[in-house]
Amino acid sequence: MILAAVVTGVYVAFLGFLTTAAFQAHAVYLHKIQMTWFKNLDVPESFGFLRDQRIHVLTFDYRGFGRSKGTPSEYGLIDDAVAVIHWAMNNAGIPPSRILLFSQSLGTAVTLAVLGLFATQSPPTTFVGAILVAPFTNVPTLVATYRIGGSIPLLSPLARFPPLLDYLSTFIRDKWSSTDRIAKYIRANEENNEQYRLTLIHAEDDYDIPWNHTDILFWHAVNATTADGIGYQEFEQVKSDRKTDFGAAGSVMEWRTQNGIIRQEILKTGLHDVIMGNPVVTMAVMRILGESSLV
């Protein structure tokens, strides 16, 4: 009984800290935890997922991450990504038709925000394509099941108390609504008759971000291509009829319009980070670049 009371007290205190901006930033972004020990960050091509491929990779640290100063926030990270893309286009002279946006986990939310900004500006700017690995729908939905490091729960113990969970969700500062942003991006390209390529990849055994987040994002993307819309259950039936099932290797589903291709690849294994070394990821990059050369 004493142990249970202590654990409960610690968790309640933890929830209290989560309502503060500073502690929340550390819990959501984990930007002070370094995952690249013993790696030479000045030679990123030595350990990248596209190692030995003849592709230039431009990567950077968001504010507050790695060697970059500052504190991460939703719009701060978006500004950082936009600045890097502007540098690539304006300073390095790389046209958007040769730029592919690749992201994983938190980066997928940044990518979708950036894609939407460029697609809706006047005139619109579209890139050769984008790849989202292990994306999530939005932060409030994610934290309802998320466990830091796969073990420390954020709000999942409160799932049995929806009103309380909803109340605490109002304190979440950075929402990262990827469902809205993916629809905005796709809809803008369809309305402007711009060519686009979007691939979503997820592993079924991802315990950090459940793979159903990709299912929902895929549906929102496809729904944005239709004038009358398509219900989630209706789309699930369409997927079961049209997807290619590779058994232990997972499944693939493509949705094509006159303007673009939206592709979903679900792997049976790959966890949250190991998936980055899967050949499927490299092939997704090569596929989009190959398709662009044929346009």
Side-chain angles (χ1 to χ4, degrees):
M1 292 294 292
I2 295 178
L3 178 60
V6 170
V7 171
T8 301
V10 171
Y11 183 66
V12 170
F14 174 70
L15 292 178
F17 281 120
L18 275 180
T19 62
T20 65
F23 191 84
Q24 189 177 124
H26 284 279
V28 172
Y29 295 108
L30 298 176
H31 55 290
K32 293 303 180 182
I33 298 179
Q34 300 295 323
M35 302 299 291
T36 51
W37 294 299
F38 310 115
K39 293 183 182 293
N40 186 351
L41 299 183
D42 293 322
V43 191
E45 62 270 19
S46 67
F47 61 89
F49 66 96
L50 286 174
R51 183 175 56 249
D52 299 327
Q53 300 293 328
R54 294 185 177 182
I55 298 173
H56 295 288
V57 178
L58 174 60
T59 185
F60 64 100
D61 290 325
Y62 297 116
R63 64 187 65 192
F65 288 81
R67 299 172 180 173
S68 297
K69 298 179 180 179
T71 301
S73 66
E74 181 168 358
Y75 291 100
L77 267 58
I78 294 171
D79 286 344
D80 293 343
V82 169
V84 170
I85 292 173
H86 280 156
W87 182 91
M89 294 190 297
N90 302 327
N91 293 71
I94 304 173
S97 60
R98 292 181 54 202
I99 297 176
L100 184 151
L101 303 188
F102 181 94
S103 55
Q104 186 247 358
S105 195
L106 171 64
T108 63
V110 181
T111 291
L112 287 172
V114 169
L115 287 171
L117 286 175
F118 279 93
T120 55
Q121 67 183 13
S122 182
T125 298
T126 56
F127 305 97
V128 65
I131 297 176
L132 314 176
V133 181
F136 58 93
T137 56
N138 55 67
V139 169
T141 300
L142 177 61
V143 298
T145 59
Y146 187 72
R147 291 174 176 267
I148 300 174
S151 57
I152 304 175
L154 285 179
L155 300 182
S156 55
L158 304 178
R160 292 176 295 176
F161 311 99
L164 180 57
L165 184 61
D166 292 341
Y167 172 71
L168 288 175
S169 294
T170 63
F171 289 95
I172 296 176
R173 181 185 61 172
D174 296 341
K175 307 293 186 181
W176 290 109
S177 184
S178 289
T179 49
D180 294 336
R181 284 169 171 159
I182 198 170
K184 174 184 177 181
Y185 164 66
I186 297 296
R187 191 174 296 112
N189 286 327
E190 291 291 336
E191 292 175 352
N192 296 328
N193 291 317
E194 296 284 351
Q195 296 295 303
Y196 64 92
R197 301 289 184 272
L198 179 64
T199 297
L200 300 90
I201 304 174
H202 218 131
E204 289 186 7
D205 62 352
D206 186 339
Y207 58 77
D208 286 309
I209 301 177
W211 69 279
N212 71 299
H213 282 259
T214 284
D215 253 357
I216 296 172
L217 284 169
F218 187 38
W219 166 57
H220 276 270
V222 170
N223 189 53
T225 68
T226 64
D228 300 325
I230 180 172
Y232 181 76
Q233 294 303 325
E234 179 185 357
F235 183 56
E236 284 297 295
Q237 183 59 53
V238 172
K239 284 175 59 180
S240 66
D241 296 336
R242 293 175 51 177
K243 73 178 180 182
T244 302
D245 194 332
F246 295 106
S251 64
V252 174
M253 161 76 177
E254 278 192 351
W255 183 271
R256 292 175 176 257
T257 72
Q258 291 183 337
N259 299 306
I261 301 174
I262 309 170
R263 180 183 177 96
Q264 181 192 48
E265 298 194 43
I266 301 298
L267 310 182
K268 291 295 183 181
T269 59
L271 300 173
H272 188 66
D273 295 313
V274 176
I275 190 174
M276 293 291 286
N278 194 298
V280 167
V281 173
T282 301
M283 289 302 297
V285 174
M286 304 307 292
R287 182 182 301 106
I288 290 180
L289 295 178
E291 289 172 346
S292 68
S293 66
L294 300 176
V295 176

